[in-house]
Amino acid sequence: MAILITGGCGFIGSHTCIEMLAAGYDIVVLDNYYNASPIALQRVKELSGRDFPFYECDIRDEAGLRKIFAENKIDAVIHFAGLKAVGESVQKPLEYYDNNVGGTVTLCRVMAEAGCKRMIFSSSATVYGMSNPSPLLETYHTGEVTNPYGRTKYIIEEILKDVCVSDPAWSVVLLRYFNPIGAHESGRIGENPNGIPNNLMPYISQVAIGKRPFLSVFGDDYDTPDGTGVRDYIHVVDLAKGHVRATDFALKNTGAEVFNLGTGKGTSVLELVKTFERVNGVAVPYKVTPRRPGDIATCYSDPHKAEAVLQWKTEKTVEDMCRDTWRWQSQNPNGFEE
Ligand code: NAD
Ligand code: UFG
């Protein structure tokens, strides 16, 4: 029995490989290296002390996928592979629909053919859109998304639900991540964005290490305690452990089930900056700039369903997230370039 992890060389995927191996699962990893380095996988092997099959393959490559299912007995797929940059998705919508939606359809088709009908899918809190109030519950309406990236997540959720209706043998777990940050506590693997980071935490750590002169804080006039945006930051290792519980669940159940993976606690931009400075003893200069279009004031989860059904909840604090990000950033100033 093995679990196929698509996008297993990426940020969340590499941490999930480690937690799945630690929980005793056998894994097979697939990635096309579009946004990842082979060094990440070497380090996963080194940290876990385990070896496993890897395939350099694109999820849109039907023949490549068939080969993986023919050569391995795959019981479930944890599906991370996809493109994830919101701004880029506005410039390149067709690439996002092709990769994320098209790739997932191809993957599901090959899975069904091989008789593997269990999937854990990386969705996003972005599917809740702009108007639902936080804390966000899994039962709230979705689909009011504002960019092609978010729309791919919404469309894939709907496709996977339809697949479960069409064939009751399918088991699909839709995981809506809030804001994953942090890194493995060894400092050996972490987030390695290409070019200028879009997200707050990688930007903070690149300012702290001197790669960028200052952080732009996108607006301080939101209706929040200090005026800056509030998000539910979740440590990537907690998130990875959530996938272990979701896999346990998917192997025992059928149908489609949705879970938020978050802490239930909101943190503002300035709180995150101050915590990073305090726990790491570094300076993060910032300037307040206008709001970023499409941003909302506040977004945090109601995490109780995952706690009740998956027996999973987060353990790590925002301090841990800041410390572990800095350990990774300062020990690997150029990411996975050795
Ligand atoms: P990542 O870019 O680090 O990982 C994605 C991996 O998929 C990369 O290793 C990339 O090379 C690979 N990949 C991309 N397209 C592929 C294809 N067509 N075939 C095979 N491999 C392909 O991103 P991440 O932060 O680890 O995110 C993982 C998943 O979680 C994504 O689906 C993302 O949309 C979702 N997600 C991420 C966040 C976040 O803030 N990081 C939030 C919500 C949801
Ligand atoms: N921010 C700044 N300066 C920056 C970057 C971000 O002030 O340089 C602020 C944003 O305005 C926001 C907060 O920091 O208030 C967090 O922004 P991120 O870009 O880190 O994260 P988002 O919540 O905007 O987006 C993330 C993922 C998306 C996902 C969304 C909802 O990047 O993929 O959460 O789940 F869709």
Side-chain angles (χ1 to χ4, degrees):
M1 168 165 134
I3 309 298
L4 175 65
I5 304 186
T6 77
C9 300
F11 172 44
I12 307 171
S14 56
H15 290 82
T16 300
C17 289
I18 290 184
E19 297 306 324
M20 289 294 288
L21 291 165
Y25 280 106
D26 289 327
I27 63 170
V28 174
V29 174
L30 164 172
D31 205 294
N32 68 354
Y33 288 138
Y34 177 83
N35 192 32
S37 157
I39 297 167
L41 215 58
Q42 269 174 34
R43 293 189 180 177
V44 166
K45 291 183 177 178
E46 178 191 298
L47 289 166
S48 62
R50 299 258 315 260
D51 199 8
F52 46 83
F54 170 73
Y55 293 84
E56 185 172 346
C57 176
D58 193 297
I59 51 166
R60 294 164 293 181
D61 171 5
E62 204 159 322
L65 291 175
R66 283 210 183 94
K67 182 171 173 338
I68 298 175
F69 282 89
E71 290 180 359
N72 300 276
K73 163 95 185 71
I74 307 290
D75 295 276
V77 177
I78 304 181
H79 178 30
F80 293 108
L83 306 180
K84 64 164 185 177
V86 174
E88 185 188 61
S89 78
V90 177
Q91 307 307 318
K92 301 176 178 173
L94 296 178
E95 281 186 33
Y96 274 69
Y97 290 116
D98 182 40
N99 218 297
N100 295 6
V101 180
T104 302
V105 170
T106 302
L107 174 63
C108 287
R109 201 185 292 126
V110 174
M111 286 174 65
E113 225 177 73
C116 170
K117 298 183 177 180
R118 299 176 190 282
M119 179 184 279
I120 296 88
F121 174 66
S122 301
S123 188
S124 165
T126 196
V127 300
Y128 289 115
M130 310 279 285
S131 56
N132 283 306
S134 289
L136 293 157
L137 272 167
E138 287 87 348
T139 48
Y140 286 1
H141 75 87
T142 56
E144 200 198 317
V145 279
T146 51
N147 57 75
Y149 165 73
R151 210 161 284 124
T152 67
K153 293 297 178 190
Y154 171 69
I155 293 170
I156 294 168
E157 283 201 3
E158 297 303 303
I159 291 174
L160 294 175
K161 288 182 205 164
D162 288 342
V163 167
C164 288
V165 170
S166 75
D167 179 352
W170 273 86
S171 169
V172 168
V173 181
L174 303 172
L175 298 177
R176 294 182 183 152
Y177 309 157
F178 282 69
N179 290 56
I181 59 170
H184 194 262
E185 65 176 9
S186 63
R188 298 289 287 160
I189 56 170
E191 189 170 11
N192 185 29
N194 269 333
I196 302 172
N198 298 303
N199 297 115
L200 179 60
M201 187 53 126
Y203 210 105
I204 289 177
S205 61
Q206 291 200 3
V207 171
I209 206 153
K211 273 194 183 172
R212 314 213 172 261
F214 62 88
L215 169 74
S216 296
V217 173
F218 298 147
D220 66 352
D221 56 354
Y222 283 106
D223 183 15
T224 60
D226 65 16
T228 64
V230 167
R231 296 291 183 273
D232 184 345
Y233 297 98
I234 172 170
H235 196 295
V236 65
V237 171
D238 277 336
L239 185 68
K241 288 179 177 164
H243 290 73
V244 176
R245 296 299 169 83
T247 305
D248 299 341
F249 180 87
L251 291 172
K252 289 194 207 112
N253 293 278
T254 54
E257 204 66 58
V258 183
F259 296 98
N260 286 336
L261 294 185
T263 65
K265 187 177 161 289
T267 302
S268 76
V269 174
L270 287 182
E271 278 173 331
L272 193 65
V273 169
K274 296 295 164 201
T275 307
F276 194 96
E277 291 186 317
R278 177 170 51 79
V279 303
N280 297 319
V282 291
V284 180
Y286 67 85
K287 288 183 190 167
V288 176
T289 61
R291 292 181 179 193
R292 181 171 65 179
D295 275 355
I296 53 174
T298 302
C299 172
Y300 60 91
S301 66
D302 181 320
H304 293 105
K305 182 178 175 189
E307 188 176 344
V309 180
L310 302 179
Q311 283 87 50
W312 169 90
K313 62 176 186 182
T314 59
E315 289 163 2
K316 293 185 182 277
T317 62
V318 172
E319 281 80 3
D320 296 328
M321 302 178 208
C322 290
R323 240 180 254 119
D324 292 341
T325 299
W326 183 238
R327 189 178 301 110
W328 154 252
Q329 175 73 72
S330 51
Q331 290 179 10
N332 305 269
N334 299 314
F336 287 110
E337 282 167 34
E338 285 188 324

